[in-house]
Amino acid sequence: GSIRRRKETIGDADILIAGSSPKKVIDYFVSLPDIVKIWARGSTKASVRMSEGFDVDLRVLPEKSFGSALQYFTGSKEHNIALRKIAINKGLKLSEYGLFRGSKMIAGETEKEIYEKLGLKWIPPELRENVGEIEASQKRKLPKLIELKDIKGDLHCHSHWGDGKRLIEEIAETAMAMGYEYIGISDHTKFLHIEHGLDEKQLAEQRKEIDKINKQFIVHNLKFKVLQGCEANIMADGSIDISDEALAKLDYVIAGVHSQMKMSKEQMTKRIIKAIENPNVDIISHPTGRILKHREEYEIDFDKILKVAKETGTILEINANPYRLDLNDKNIRKAKEMGVKMIINSDAHHKDQLNLMEYGVSQARRGWADKEDVINCWSVEKMLSMLK
């Protein structure tokens, strides 16, 4: 269901099993630890409540029906209704048990054959929301969606330089182990005291350390580069909390709103646009400011922001932190259609959080993005040449 479609929030979990001994599977399933209530238990299905507070539904079907069941339980409901209409128009019947012409099953073992018999190319689960994916599939115009393996680096990583907790070398080593070609250190700047925000002098000192690390990589013949950026603060009037002279010396500049988030739509839009128009600002971090289930997006005119980002060549971030996932899927698709480039960043505050990248990639896929839309799928040279 929503897990396979990689939705931002999940209500419950569905498990599908192909097998010829459903009773044995169900008996085992309902006896698992952490189950606090059994809602239902039948010959081929069971539903339980977990101690964490969510439900898990299990379905056991024969192997010949696995593809059609997988398609059915993945959803979305709207996507499934549209597929059933296509089936009816072809004189067929589609259900979780298979695709039938009268009583004869003509497909069901794989999802691919279900889609093919309906005259469609297989549709990636993340796109199945009935928002144009069926028409694109019919015309053979589905995008070749971005994949995790396409990512070559991450430009939004916090080292909290100077407090000794997250060393730049450790972040670089983790990134290399992930197969990246580069990593960007983007510590907060001076307005955010609580986050050890760096001032102009500290940024210059940090640069010396990064240059030293890069020289060591060259000595050891390692084709890996540490880039220096920052996550500067967009102040209430749209100015940046670090001097332009200091920003100009960095490899790239990320800027984001971290305060006074309840401004009017007009004020907030104007504030972000002023930052976008700054010739030193390359990337806008978590552009709408939402935190899932905690804080709504700012009031902004996103279309206006997209227009200016396109004119200035400013990149919009897809923040991969599962609490943010900002941009959302609809805004990613809008940016893609407008020709505004994006970057997927982990916003890691610990080296282990570099692995959050997968959630950002899922979000980009839900927004129909391919690797040409996302600049950290590019080589370091091509990516840097794209920046201001």
Side-chain angles (χ1 to χ4, degrees):
S2 49
I3 295 176
R4 188 166 181 238
R5 300 202 317 280
R6 306 294 279 180
K7 291 274 283 185
E8 294 160 355
T9 57
I10 306 297
D12 56 19
D14 297 306
I15 298 174
L16 176 65
I17 292 180
S20 54
S21 307
K23 186 179 182 302
K24 192 184 282 189
V25 173
I26 285 166
D27 288 347
Y28 179 78
F29 172 68
V30 297
S31 68
L32 287 169
D34 297 324
I35 289 173
V36 292
K37 188 168 181 64
I38 299 170
W39 297 116
R41 177 182 185 173
S43 56
T44 61
K45 58 177 97 170
S47 180
V48 299
R49 168 62 58 95
M50 305 303 293
S51 58
E52 292 93 337
F54 62 91
D55 291 344
V56 180
D57 295 339
L58 175 76
R59 192 70 186 267
V60 189
L61 287 166
E63 214 163 314
K64 66 178 183 178
S65 297
F66 187 78
S68 49
L70 183 60
Q71 190 286 311
Y72 178 84
F73 289 113
T74 297
S76 67
K77 181 182 172 185
E78 294 76 15
H79 178 87
N80 285 355
I81 289 168
L83 283 192
R84 285 203 295 274
K85 282 180 182 170
I86 292 171
I88 290 164
N89 289 338
K90 290 180 178 287
L92 306 172
K93 186 188 173 190
L94 177 63
S95 72
E96 67 262 48
Y97 299 105
L99 185 63
F100 295 86
R101 179 173 281 115
S103 59
K104 187 186 177 188
M105 183 176 176
I106 60 168
E109 199 160 348
T110 68
E111 279 192 327
K112 193 179 175 193
E113 64 181 18
I114 294 285
Y115 282 99
E116 279 176 356
K117 295 283 186 189
L118 295 176
L120 302 168
K121 198 172 178 191
W122 180 82
I123 298 171
E126 297 93 335
L127 301 187
R128 299 181 196 175
E129 302 292 345
N130 196 29
V131 287
E133 74 281 1
I134 290 171
E135 294 79 2
S137 174
Q138 286 169 329
K139 293 172 185 169
R140 301 297 188 261
K141 286 188 176 177
L142 284 169
K144 189 176 189 311
L145 296 180
I146 186 172
E147 297 180 47
L148 187 57
K149 67 180 184 185
D150 296 326
I151 301 292
K152 295 184 185 295
D154 185 342
L155 290 192
H156 192 165
C157 304
H158 295 276
S159 73
H160 282 204
W161 190 77
D163 74 357
K165 287 179 185 169
R166 289 172 278 279
L167 299 175
I168 293 171
E169 295 99 316
E170 287 180 1
I171 295 167
E173 284 164 9
T174 305
M176 276 189 272
M178 292 170 70
Y180 287 172
E181 295 174 13
Y182 51 88
I183 199 76
I185 303 301
S186 306
D187 284 321
H188 287 291
T189 48
K190 58 189 180 184
F191 177 75
L192 283 187
H193 305 292
I194 196 166
E195 293 281 2
H196 307 277
L198 307 184
D199 60 22
E200 287 85 349
K201 188 180 174 188
Q202 288 170 309
L203 280 171
E205 288 296 313
Q206 187 189 58
R207 185 57 182 236
K208 290 176 189 172
E209 183 181 324
I210 287 172
D211 287 345
K212 193 174 162 187
I213 291 167
N214 281 326
K215 279 175 188 163
Q216 284 299 311
F217 290 152
I218 293 165
V219 167
H220 292 99
N221 204 26
L222 293 169
K223 289 181 179 174
F224 185 86
K225 196 170 178 76
V226 179
L227 302 171
Q228 188 195 24
C230 70
E231 187 183 15
N233 299 289
I234 302 172
M235 308 305 282
D237 63 354
S239 63
I240 304 299
D241 70 332
I242 286 284
S243 71
D244 281 330
E245 187 186 7
L247 294 177
K249 291 175 182 171
L250 301 173
D251 293 313
Y252 63 93
V253 173
I254 298 174
V257 170
H258 296 98
S259 63
Q260 289 173 270
M261 298 178 189
K262 292 188 176 177
M263 297 171 88
S264 71
K265 185 176 184 176
E266 189 182 356
Q267 284 177 311
M268 187 63 89
T269 302
K270 194 174 171 186
R271 175 185 184 181
I272 293 172
I273 284 174
K274 186 175 175 183
I276 287 172
E277 289 175 335
N278 183 310
N280 292 302
V281 171
D282 300 297
I283 298 162
I284 300 296
S285 60
H286 37 75
T288 71
R290 73 165 184 186
I291 296 178
L292 287 167
K293 301 176 82 69
H294 178 69
R295 186 173 73 210
E296 295 296 320
E297 297 177 353
Y298 331 122
E299 288 282 323
I300 53 171
D301 185 333
F302 189 68
D303 290 341
K304 199 177 275 189
I305 284 168
L306 275 181
K307 184 172 179 288
V308 182
K310 172 70 174 170
E311 288 165 3
T312 58
T314 306
I315 314 298
L316 298 185
E317 179 182 74
I318 301 169
N319 190 296
N321 185 296
Y323 290 98
R324 288 192 183 272
L325 298 176
D326 179 12
L327 299 170
N328 68 23
D329 54 351
K330 292 180 180 67
N331 284 339
I332 291 166
R333 195 165 171 192
K334 271 188 178 182
K336 176 188 171 80
E337 286 165 1
M338 181 76 85
V340 173
K341 297 300 181 188
M342 292 165 280
I343 184 165
I344 306 172
N345 284 324
S346 67
D347 196 357
H349 284 67
H350 187 279
K351 63 181 183 179
D352 295 343
Q353 290 181 342
L354 290 172
N355 286 316
L356 296 177
M357 182 63 74
E358 69 165 296
Y359 300 109
V361 170
S362 294
Q363 190 76 345
R365 287 171 66 87
R366 285 183 56 78
W368 294 53
D370 61 41
K371 61 184 182 181
E372 279 308 304
D373 300 314
V374 177
I375 68 166
N376 53 324
C377 293
W378 306 351
S379 68
V380 68
E381 296 82 13
K382 182 181 175 184
M383 181 196 67
L384 289 174
S385 73
M386 176 71 194
L387 304 178
K388 295 179 189 175

